[in-house]
Amino acid sequence: MARGKSATFEQQRGAILAEAARLFAEKGFHNASMAELAKACGVSKPLLYHYYRDKEHILFDIADSYMDQLQAIVVDVEGEGRAAEPHLAELVMRFMKEYEHSQSQHVVLVQDVKFLQAEQSRQVVEKQRRVVAAFADAIERVEPGLKRRRLDKPVAMILFGMINWTFTWLHADGRFTYADMAPVVTAILLNGVKGLLATETLRAAPAHTTADAA
């Protein structure tokens, strides 16, 4: 009869993921070894392999579980029923707070996902697309018409360009916190998005049509 998993199996896996995220973020995925990870976790290398078959499996679990956290934020905020601008502002605030408290996982996501196997990468990227789509929808609600001009997702990507790399300059001992900067990001985006379709360049741009979609 096969031996079942212990009651603490998932807890131990969670602890391994947290330590692996810290190690990968600090050293880079390829520079961090399973031996170093086992030592950091206070377990033997054979025991580490009891929880994860290889380093790539750990990387996938870090990225995939982190995307699950971000998707959960989107669902929670959507369920709160705010008007367009407060909804977008809350999304930015909640994501910035998550970035602050999951900094290692975030660094791994933006730097190391490229090392995943194709099927694993597709799963993580699909979740990323859903998150981007949720932000694009929120932005379209603020400035209706962006989607018709195929600008909703590009503007969402501009927003992620502002917040995804904050870990490189926004530090715990600095003058500002992630919560301080979230409304700044929102204000920059809103004041730029409002009236965006009125600019000469975008008035001349072709609108999205059914034929384009096909």
Side-chain angles (χ1 to χ4, degrees), residues 124-201:
V124 173
V125 168
E126 178 56 35
K127 291 180 180 182
Q128 289 176 311
R129 285 175 179 157
R130 289 177 201 155
V131 168
V132 170
F135 272 78
D137 288 344
I139 290 166
E140 169 69 15
R141 287 166 58 185
V142 171
E143 183 75 351
L146 287 176
K147 187 172 185 177
R148 181 170 53 87
R149 295 285 185 173
R150 293 172 145 181
L151 282 167
D152 53 329
K153 288 183 180 177
V155 173
M157 294 308 298
I158 289 171
L159 169 58
F160 281 110
M162 284 195 283
I163 67 175
N164 271 0
W165 296 91
T166 46
F167 68 87
T168 63
W169 59 269
L170 189 54
H171 304 295
D173 58 351
R175 180 175 180 180
F176 298 107
T177 67
Y178 280 75
D180 291 332
M181 296 309 299
V184 175
V185 169
T186 302
I188 291 171
L189 184 71
L190 288 178
N191 292 333
V193 169
K194 285 181 178 179
L196 185 60
L197 293 175
T199 64
E200 286 295 330
T201 301

Side-chain angles (χ1 to χ4, degrees), residues 22-145:
R22 183 198 63 77
L23 194 62
F24 293 170
E26 179 184 306
K27 302 191 68 172
F29 173 70
H30 279 313
N31 294 323
S33 69
M34 289 290 274
E36 287 177 299
L37 179 56
K39 183 178 179 181
C41 292
V43 300
S44 67
K45 192 174 175 182
L47 183 57
L48 185 60
Y49 281 109
H50 171 67
Y51 292 101
Y52 282 100
R53 63 179 177 270
D54 53 34
K55 199 167 63 166
E56 288 75 15
H57 186 196
I58 296 173
L59 174 60
F60 170 71
D61 253 13
I62 292 170
D64 191 58
S65 62
Y66 183 55
M67 285 310 307
D68 285 343
Q69 290 174 241
L70 297 182
Q71 287 189 124
I73 292 172
V74 168
V75 172
D76 286 347
V77 174
E78 188 63 44
E80 290 166 1
R82 291 180 174 83
E85 289 188 19
H87 174 75
L88 181 58
E90 184 66 13
L91 276 176
V92 173
M93 176 64 78
R94 297 272 282 273
F95 266 60
M96 290 284 279
K97 286 183 176 179
E98 184 63 39
Y99 289 178
E100 179 179 18
H101 299 300
S102 303
Q103 191 170 98
S104 293
Q105 290 89 336
H106 184 71
V107 172
V108 171
L109 181 70
V110 300
Q111 292 186 168
D112 293 330
V113 164
K114 59 182 177 286
F115 299 121
L116 289 174
Q117 297 296 319
E119 183 55 39
Q120 294 175 328
S121 179
R122 277 193 292 271
Q123 182 168 321
V124 173
V125 168
E126 178 56 35
K127 291 180 180 182
Q128 289 176 311
R129 285 175 179 157
R130 289 177 201 155
V131 168
V132 170
F135 272 78
D137 288 344
I139 290 166
E140 169 69 15
R141 287 166 58 185
V142 171
E143 183 75 351

Side-chain angles (χ1 to χ4, degrees), residues 3-23:
R3 186 177 65 180
K5 295 177 181 177
S6 71
T8 60
F9 184 85
E10 291 303 327
Q11 288 181 327
Q12 184 61 55
R13 276 172 67 109
I16 290 169
L17 285 185
E19 193 58 40
R22 183 198 63 77
L23 194 62

